[in-house]
Amino acid sequence: MKSKKIDNFLKLFSSRNFLLFLIDITLLTLAGLNALFVRFGFDFLEMSKYSSGVFVLVIITIISNLLNGTYRIVWRYATPKDLIVLLRGLFIGYAFTLIFIHFTRLVVLPRSVGMLTFLGSYFLLLSARIIYQYLLSWKRKSEKRIAIIGAGDAGVILLNEIKRTNYGTVVAFFDDDTQKIGKYVAGVKVLDSVDSINNYIDKLEIDEILIAIPSASKQVMSRIISTIDTEKVKLKTFPSITEFLDRNPTITDLREISLQDIVGREPVSVDIDSISKYLTGKTILITGAGGSIGSEISRQVCKFSPKKVVLVGRGENSIYEIYNELKEKYYELDIVPIISDVTDKNMMEKIFKTHRPDIVFHAAAHKHVFFMQNNLYEALRVNVLGTINLAKLSCNYNVEKFVFISTDKAVHPTSYMGTSKRLAELYLLSIPDTCKTDFSIVRFGNVIGSRGSVLWKFKKQIENDEPVTITDPRMKRYWMSIPEAVSLVIQAGALSTNRELYVLDMGEQIPVEEVAKALAKIMGKQNIKIKYTGAIPGEKLEEELFYEYEKPEKTQHPKIMRVEYNNLKKILPEEFENKILEIMNKYIEGHEREAENMLYEILEIN
């Protein structure tokens, strides 16, 4: 302990701190001499009588500053609290000097000289530190000239963050509130409305525009982005307001505009109480936890204080990344990463037996239409047999709820991938009531930002100034952001009571070409070339969310529909599994056409 104190004391005299220490001694001495001069003018004889008192005050103040912790402060990042610490050290030094002189009578110090020395020393030491901060700020100051859209609370927070971090210089606010236009907000003028911003880009030499409206809908974001000439300036924004429920945004939250902002940025409200009831204090198993959907389920589930979260996935790197991300944020939570394949019966049995999950989110699946079209065996092995394996274990180990992630490609499937997901749906809906687990299927369309998405291909092509390849100009898809989709998936889990099929409200289908052009504008490259390559095997021009006999019904949530499937002919689970194995064997033996016919026989029954 003693050695540690000595080390801390020695740290005070690093080269930088020692220089500050010497500057402080000089300034304290200067403050004392100035006090003598103010009191006695040019009467040097009188000044010499009391110089020893000033010397004692300087010595005691120096000792006080050392013990006070003044030199443990990193003055580059000093806060108002640190300035109080500085004042405290000087005041203690002044007070102890008065006590020392009163009881020893060794020196004399006029009250006026002592007070002037104290006040002058605070002024000089404080000024030195402010000048130091200013010089650092000036030295590090970015040349970036910034305009902020949104002169509300988020805009002011962003302005203060920019000043604190020297990110750049804010030259103007822009806001559609006519009552704010022409006025000053935190010292910066609100110049005009958002629609007029292009008129100021060249005039003010704006380099970057920051959108400080976390609550902005996709319609608002789309209008802002379409207004601004993205070839002249960079655009950045804050994420959706849902990410700032428990904190203020910071400069590190700023990110480049993404397609999600104009296609899938609808704020989603969920029933926190109903979700908490089925997640809080429970053991939750997530398959495909390293994937786009699975990792987001993991992030959102951890917010509800579960007892344990078991992350299951085949990819070491992806599981490693999500595990470390969650562990850093929820270090007190019991998070278990497991590398395993959902079709491995022995390993999955061990996982269920060891961890006894209460809730299962099954997101593990093969999702690429093109790859699965060339490998029916793998599509059935993972997407169907993997689901069957987990469903059986859930029944055997009394899992409370099982939530299965499905796809719009399962409706009237034209691909092996879509067929495999439909078969998994049929199996789960046919599980007998003797199994007490509540099974829910959540069906939805494309999500923005998923790994391997066509948007990643578009982005790379645009960056390289290559033609954007689209299979067909008539191609349309449903789009939704990953956080939005996962919030609704988790909410659907709270709604389910038996064997339920839910479909998310995906809005209108958007042409893929339109999405590609929007992405190009965001990236500041509006004049892109489009190349049509022709549809790939198994690909549809448009997707569907319902079969003709499925009847969507409203639920407690406006974006989640429950599907009535009364005409569905339930299958016998054991016969179904044997049939799938037979189809897989046919395919391996080279009888793909026969295997395909057997598949569609099952689908025609339903």
Side-chain angles (χ1 to χ4, degrees), residues 223-328:
R223 182 177 71 84
I224 292 172
I225 293 166
S226 63
T227 299
I228 296 168
D229 187 347
T230 54
E231 292 185 351
K232 288 185 177 181
V233 292
K234 284 186 177 180
L235 265 179
K236 289 186 178 180
T237 186
F238 279 138
S240 173
I241 195 171
T242 55
E243 298 189 27
F244 303 118
L245 298 178
D246 56 353
R247 65 180 179 88
N248 284 328
T250 67
I251 200 74
T252 56
D253 292 310
L254 279 175
R255 58 167 174 75
E256 302 287 339
I257 295 288
S258 71
L259 197 60
Q260 178 178 313
D261 294 310
I262 58 175
V263 175
R265 189 181 164 126
E266 287 297 332
V268 175
S269 60
V270 293
D271 184 356
I272 301 296
D273 290 338
S274 65
I275 294 174
S276 296
K277 283 180 183 177
Y278 91 98
L279 293 184
T280 302
K282 300 296 179 65
T283 296
I284 300 169
L285 186 147
I286 303 163
T287 70
S292 304
I293 297 293
S295 60
E296 183 62 24
I297 291 174
S298 305
R299 292 184 192 99
Q300 294 195 25
V301 157
C302 285
K303 295 177 182 178
F304 291 93
S305 303
K307 178 183 176 182
K308 182 192 294 185
V309 177
V310 183
L311 307 174
V312 177
R314 290 200 304 175
E316 286 183 276
N317 291 337
S318 57
I319 293 295
Y320 173 83
E321 287 173 7
I322 187 62
Y323 170 75
N324 280 296
E325 177 188 330
L326 296 177
K327 207 60 185 172
E328 284 179 14

